[in-house]
Amino acid sequence: MGSFTILPYSSFLAILFLFIIFQQPKPGHSLTNIGLRNRKQLGGCNLFKGSWVFDDSYPLYDSSTCPYITPEFDCQKYGRPDTQYLQYRWKPDGCTLPRFNGEDLLGRMRGKKMMFVGDSLSLNEWQSMACLLHNAVPQATTSFVKKGDVSTLTFELNRRILQDYGVSVIYFRSLFLVDLVSENDNVVLKLDSIQTGNSWIGIDMLIFNTWHWWTHKGNDQPWNLIEDGNVYYKDMDRLVAFQKGLTTWARWVESNIDLSKTSVFFQGISPAHSQGKEWNQKGSTCLGQTQPISGRTYPAGAPPAVGVVKGVLSSMTKPVYLLDVTTLSQLRKDGHPSKYSGLHPGLDCSHWCLAGVPDTWNELLYAALIT
């Protein structure tokens, strides 16, 4: 019989360390800056123009197995009776959207941080990303920390293939991106100030979003004064205020972000479906909707905020990739929690069920990174 040698434990650890090192992504498979303003093309195909097609291989995960979905988005848990809305795939005209590969994304982002900055629609997309990655590597060791407005989920060791990811997926709650502060018994929305931005510096991938709260009025409005250029206002045209605030954010990106180290995305305007007249069903809402709108266009067209976003991004000297999800999301009148939310009373026709439409936003984010 042949002989064999038992390696000392220290030698075994050294070999294991080298194995993990060689599991790192090869050159060309790392996270790099997108590099082209608002790039939408995949082999000559616009990723954001297309239609929804039924695909029984969807959804990409089972919501009941994802521990990161909060009650407001967990439609199946809170009684939604239909499931067909889960089985639609976005099909761009002229090409196929790459299927999300969570294990590949974790490999590309090893040792890096991804941060979603914005309101509850950013939370919607962050939870989607958490579920997509969890589904890809359910055996991975993870840690979760919530501190104030910041929630951090870190994917650590994948025991199955002995890969140490060290990938942090972060949600930073910021309703307006610009500052909301208490001053002399007032709550002031400062259109020309971003003090919280220090927390965004040094992140490898930033996905920003804001708009939802700019339209809130009355008791739902979290401020009672607007400050612009040291002048205080009781109110202002909301599109004008949004444009001013977003311009401040754009200046912050120009001054503080090194695009050779950080990729920057802006999550496009997410639509609501509270008024059926927008899709030629006067009197209806998102409640009871079970199928997407057929075709490639939304009858009511794009909301005015879309023009503000595109105008501000086009004026920037540093390229920010627009996840132009508005039209494709407008076609999904069936995708909202409606009365099947575990948090919002009444009808929620603004947020999205998970699994659901935000998974497609993340598929588009993934496509931008790999193509």
Side-chain angles (χ1 to χ4, degrees):
M1 294 180 62
S3 62
F4 60 92
T5 302
I6 299 177
L7 292 174
Y9 183 67
S10 59
S11 299
F12 169 77
L13 289 178
I15 292 171
L16 178 61
F17 174 76
L18 289 172
F19 174 79
I20 292 174
I21 290 296
F22 283 109
Q23 289 292 312
Q24 304 292 323
K26 296 179 177 62
H29 288 258
S30 60
L31 177 69
T32 56
N33 177 51
I34 298 304
L36 294 174
R37 184 191 313 277
N38 301 345
R39 192 182 70 184
K40 303 177 181 180
Q41 304 299 318
L42 175 63
C45 166
N46 187 327
L47 293 173
F48 304 107
K49 289 186 176 180
S51 59
W52 292 94
V53 298
F54 186 81
D55 186 334
D56 60 12
S57 71
Y58 277 62
L60 295 173
Y61 55 87
D62 181 345
S63 60
S64 69
T65 66
C66 180
Y68 307 111
I69 303 178
T70 50
E72 60 189 312
F73 310 135
D74 203 347
C75 304
Q76 288 294 305
K77 181 176 180 179
Y78 287 91
R80 181 162 178 170
D82 60 308
T83 58
Q84 186 172 327
Y85 73 95
L86 295 167
Q87 295 183 293
Y88 287 97
R89 171 174 57 83
W90 177 246
K91 175 67 171 68
D93 294 335
C95 65
T96 299
L97 185 64
R99 194 175 180 92
F100 187 91
N101 185 329
E103 201 163 344
D104 176 66
L105 180 57
L106 287 168
R108 293 170 185 269
M109 289 207 62
R110 185 173 290 112
K112 299 183 183 296
K113 296 178 181 179
M114 172 194 312
M115 178 182 282
F116 295 86
V117 183
D119 55 33
S120 52
L121 290 158
S122 286
L123 176 65
N124 223 170
E125 187 174 10
W126 175 79
Q127 289 186 18
S128 162
M129 179 62 78
C131 291
L132 288 164
L133 295 175
H134 172 74
N135 182 70
V137 288
Q139 70 290 328
T141 303
T142 60
S143 63
F144 175 75
V145 177
K146 187 177 191 304
K147 186 175 181 180
D149 289 332
V150 183
S151 299
T152 304
L153 173 64
T154 301
F155 289 82
E156 297 165 345
L157 178 65
N158 184 340
R159 297 187 186 95
R160 181 176 64 84
I161 55 175
L162 296 177
Q163 280 197 347
D164 189 4
Y165 294 124
V167 175
S168 292
V169 185
I170 307 165
Y171 168 59
F172 187 106
R173 185 175 185 265
S174 177
L175 302 184
F176 302 96
L177 300 184
V178 293
D179 292 332
L180 188 68
V181 302
S182 296
E183 283 185 359
N184 303 320
D185 297 323
N186 292 299
V187 180
V188 183
L189 178 62
K190 293 178 171 284
L191 298 182
D192 54 5
S193 173
I194 299 181
Q195 296 299 319
T196 56
N198 289 336
S199 299
W200 313 336
I201 296 172
I203 302 297
D204 301 285
M205 184 162 67
L206 291 163
I207 305 98
F208 291 99
N209 158 69
T210 185
W211 169 242
H212 182 67
W213 280 85
W214 292 85
T215 62
H216 286 30
K217 296 186 177 183
N219 292 333
D220 292 332
Q221 176 182 299
W223 49 266
N224 61 305
L225 290 175
I226 294 178
E227 182 184 358
D228 180 35
N230 296 319
V231 179
Y232 291 87
Y233 301 87
K234 287 283 189 181
D235 205 346
M236 182 183 295
D237 180 283
R238 300 308 174 88
L239 274 176
V240 172
F242 179 53
Q243 191 273 338
K244 288 176 177 286
L246 203 60
T247 299
T248 297
W249 165 82
R251 287 198 297 265
W252 182 91
V253 171
E254 303 271 28
S255 301
N256 292 280
I257 297 299
D258 180 352
L259 291 185
S260 68
K261 299 177 180 178
T262 301
S263 295
V264 183
F265 295 81
F266 193 90
Q267 175 189 330
I269 302 298
S270 175
H273 288 95
S274 301
Q275 301 183 49
K277 64 182 181 180
E278 290 188 355
W279 62 90
N280 300 325
Q281 288 184 358
K282 189 175 181 180
S284 65
T285 65
C286 69
L287 179 63
Q289 303 292 337
T290 60
Q291 294 181 339
I293 295 171
S294 61
R296 291 162 172 75
T297 58
Y298 189 64
V306 171
V308 174
V309 170
K310 291 184 176 180
V312 170
L313 294 188
S314 67
S315 69
M316 296 177 68
T317 59
K318 291 184 177 180
V320 171
Y321 187 106
L322 175 62
L323 286 170
D324 195 2
V325 300
T326 303
T327 300
L328 67 89
S329 302
Q330 284 180 314
L331 299 176
R332 292 305 305 274
K333 58 184 173 62
D334 60 322
H336 301 283
S338 65
K339 68 178 183 179
Y340 304 108
S341 168
L343 178 65
H344 296 282
L347 292 183
D348 182 359
C349 294
S350 299
H351 300 99
W352 303 92
C353 295
L354 293 178
V357 172
D359 303 328
T360 295
W361 301 349
N362 281 320
E363 283 192 289
L364 289 160
L365 177 63
Y366 175 66
L369 293 171
I370 68 173
T371 57

